[in-house]
Amino acid sequence: MRSVSVFGATGSIGESTFDILMRQGGPDAYRVVALTGGRNVARLAAQARALKAEVAVIADDTLLPELKAALAGSGIAAAAGQNALLEAADRPADWIMSGIVGAAGLAPGFRALSHGGTLALANKESLVTAGPLLMAEARAHGARILPVDSEHSAVFQALVGEEMEAVEEITITASGGAFRDWPLDRLAHATVAEASTHPNWAMGQRITIDSASMFNKALELIETHEFFGIDPGRIGVLVHPESLVHALVGFRDGGVIGHLGAPDMRHAIGYALNWPERMHLPVNRLKLAEIGQLTFAAPDPARYPALRLAREVMAAGGLTGAVFNAAKEVALDAFIGGGIAFTAMANVVEEVLSRLSAAGTLGKAAQSLDMVLETDREARRVAVEMIETMQRT
Ligand code: NDP
C-alpha cells in the first residue's frame, strides 16, 4: 500500500488532493501518514478521520487543544507548531504533497526530500527561494520532485520521451487575471474583493490576487527556470484568457507540443499522484468545437511589472529569488490588509530588491537552507519598514 502525506491539506490544493485520494480508494488504498493545516482545525480533523491519518498537525500551536478535542477517540495523533510540521515531514512517505502556501512551505518540503520518495510540488515558492538547493537535496537522497503547478505539469507532460537539448523554448500561459481588461488608471483603486476573483480558476485567495498582478506568473517563470534548467531567455509568457492551453514546448525541429485541459487542478494533482500511469480523473473534458476559438496575446509590461522583475531576479540569481518572494508576500499581506494600493505591491518589491542588491551579496548562491531563511527574514524586515514609511508619507 502506498503511503502519502499532504502538507497544506486544508487549502485549495489540499482539498483537491483530498478529493482525489478519496475517489481513488481513500484509506483502503493509501496509508495516510500525515495531514497538516495552518489554522483550520475542523477541516483538518474531518480529513484526518476520513483518511484515517496517523498524525494531524496544525501550524498554529495555540490550536493544539482544539485539534486534540476534534480528534478525541479517533486514535489519530495531534501535534502543532513549526517543529511538529518538520517532524511530520520526517515520517517517511512514498508521496508527499507540498501544498502549503508561501515560503512557509519550504522547510517541510526540504525535510521530506531527505527521506527519498516523491514530492509533488505545488509550493512554487520553494523553487523560487531555494531552487538549486531543493533540486540538489532531491538528487542527494534519490527523491523525485514532480511539478503540480498546472503550467509545469503541462511542460513535464509535453516533455515525456523528449530530450531537454532538443527544446528551444518553453511558453507558459496566463489568464491575465481579474484586471486583464481594466483601464490601467483604475488599477491603483482595485479592491481586495475585486482582485480575489479569478476569471477561470478556483484557488486560494493569495494566488488569486497574485494572478491579477501576475506575481504568480512571475514566480512561475522562475519556477520554470529552476525546475527545467532552461535559460530565462528561452521562457515565454502568453496571455491566454481561456486558460485551456497551459503550456507549449517548442522544439528545434520547429514542432510545438502544447498541453490542453480544463482549468481544474485535480488534473495536475492526479497526474502527479498516479505518475507514470494515467488514471481516470473527474475533470471536465475539453469540447473544442463548443469553445470555437482560443486567443493569445503578449503580456502588457505596463500592466504586469512583476514579469520584468522576475526576469531581473533570474538574471541576478543566487538569493535574489528569496528576496523577491519575501517582499512579494509582505506586499500582498499589506494589500490584503488595506495598507497599500494594488499597484504599490510591485513598487515595494522593486524597492526591496534594489535596497538589498546594493550590498552586492544577493547574487551569491545559497549554501544552505538557513541562508535562504535568513535572507527571507531580512527581506521581510525591509519590506515592512518600507511599507510603514510609505504609509506615513
Ligand atoms: P490556500 O491558501 O488555499 O491553502 C494554503 C494551505 O497552507 C492551507 O492548508 C493553510 O492552512 C496552510 N498554511 C497557511 N499558512 C501556513 C503556515 N504559515 N504554516 C503552515 N501551513 C500554512 O493556498 P493554495 O492551496 O491556493 O496554494 C498552495 C500552494 O500551491 C501555493 O504555493 C500556491 O502558489 C500553489 N498553487 C496553487 C494552485 C491552486 O489552484 N490553488 C495552483 C498552482 C499552485 P489553513 O487554511 O488551515 O490556515
Side-chain angles (χ1 to χ4, degrees):
M1 198 182 253
R2 273 176 95 199
S3 53
V4 303
S5 287
V6 183
F7 286 77
T10 51
S12 165
I13 287 287
E15 286 288 3
S16 293
T17 308
F18 173 77
D19 180 71
I20 301 284
L21 288 172
M22 290 302 285
R23 285 169 191 265
Q24 292 192 179
D28 298 329
Y30 299 96
R31 181 168 74 82
V32 178
V33 178
L35 297 183
T36 84
R39 305 201 75 248
N40 191 344
V41 168
R43 202 49 208 139
L44 179 63
Q47 288 183 347
R49 283 178 183 273
L51 283 171
K52 300 191 169 56
E54 291 170 13
V55 62
V57 181
I58 198 84
D60 182 337
D61 52 14
T62 64
L63 296 172
L64 184 57
E66 217 178 291
L67 182 62
K68 280 189 171 158
L71 290 173
S74 67
I76 300 165
Q82 294 308 311
N83 279 339
L85 281 176
L86 295 179
E87 279 162 23
D90 274 334
R91 293 177 176 235
D94 300 320
W95 189 88
I96 300 116
M97 167 54 75
S98 170
I100 291 176
V101 65
L106 173 59
F110 200 83
R111 184 68 76 89
L113 285 175
S114 70
H115 299 283
T118 296
L119 187 70
L121 191 69
N123 181 268
K124 60 193 85 186
E125 296 88 347
S126 296
L127 280 171
V128 172
T129 56
L133 283 178
L134 204 76
M135 301 303 274
E137 190 71 1
R139 278 192 300 273
H141 298 282
R144 174 174 278 118
I145 302 178
L146 291 178
V148 170
D149 227 342
S150 57
E151 296 76 3
H152 304 76
S153 172
V155 173
F156 187 81
Q157 294 181 49
L159 285 173
V160 171
E162 307 289 349
E163 297 292 336
M164 262 323 274
E165 62 190 41
V167 172
E168 236 168 41
E169 194 184 24
I170 291 178
T171 304
I172 56 176
T173 60
S175 69
F179 306 138
R180 185 187 61 228
D181 302 319
W182 277 37
L184 281 182
D185 58 6
R186 251 186 89 193
L187 290 184
H189 309 290
T191 65
V192 174
E194 286 165 337
S196 304
T197 318
H198 196 283
N200 304 324
W201 294 90
M203 309 185 283
Q205 186 192 31
R206 301 182 72 85
I207 184 173
T208 303
I209 299 175
D210 282 349
S211 296
S213 63
M214 273 222 204
F215 267 110
N216 180 47
K217 211 50 55 180
L219 297 177
E220 289 176 9
L221 270 176
I222 305 171
E223 183 184 9
T224 305
H225 168 56
E226 297 293 351
F227 188 82
F228 296 103
I230 178 168
D231 297 341
R234 295 195 287 131
I235 311 171
V237 175
L238 263 184
V239 175
H240 168 49
E242 296 86 2
S243 295
L244 297 175
V245 177
H246 304 306
L248 301 151
V249 179
F251 295 91
R252 62 185 169 200
D253 60 1
V256 177
I257 298 183
H259 179 280
L260 287 78
D264 184 334
M265 284 309 294
R266 292 178 303 176
H267 167 74
I269 293 168
Y271 182 81
L273 179 64
N274 298 314
W275 182 88
E277 280 184 68
R278 284 188 186 268
M279 306 292 280
H280 179 271
L281 290 171
V283 300
N284 286 339
R285 277 24 182 184
L286 263 195
K287 298 210 167 54
L288 284 175
E290 286 172 21
I291 291 155
Q293 68 181 41
L294 299 175
T295 46
F296 302 93
D300 172 2
R303 188 179 298 276
Y304 305 116
L307 296 180
R308 169 180 56 80
L309 294 175
R311 294 203 180 273
E312 290 172 12
V313 167
M314 289 189 286
L319 288 158
T320 318
V323 172
F324 180 68
N325 181 68
K328 191 280 292 178
E329 288 191 22
V330 173
L332 178 58
D333 284 336
F335 171 65
I336 293 174
I340 61 171
F342 178 78
T343 43
M345 288 191 286
N347 301 337
V348 169
V349 174
E350 183 155 23
E351 191 54 33
V352 174
L353 278 169
S354 113
R355 271 207 214 167
L356 289 180
S357 312
T361 51
L362 278 191
K364 279 203 207 140
Q367 303 299 323
S368 65
L369 193 59
D370 282 345
M371 261 177 96
V372 174
L373 297 175
E374 178 52 38
T375 304
D376 173 278
R377 277 192 292 273
E378 175 62 4
R380 280 172 203 271
R381 192 189 60 72
V382 173
V384 167
E385 204 177 86
M386 190 170 297
I387 289 168
E388 283 169 0
T389 312
M390 279 168 71
Q391 285 166 340
R392 277 198 299 270
T393 51

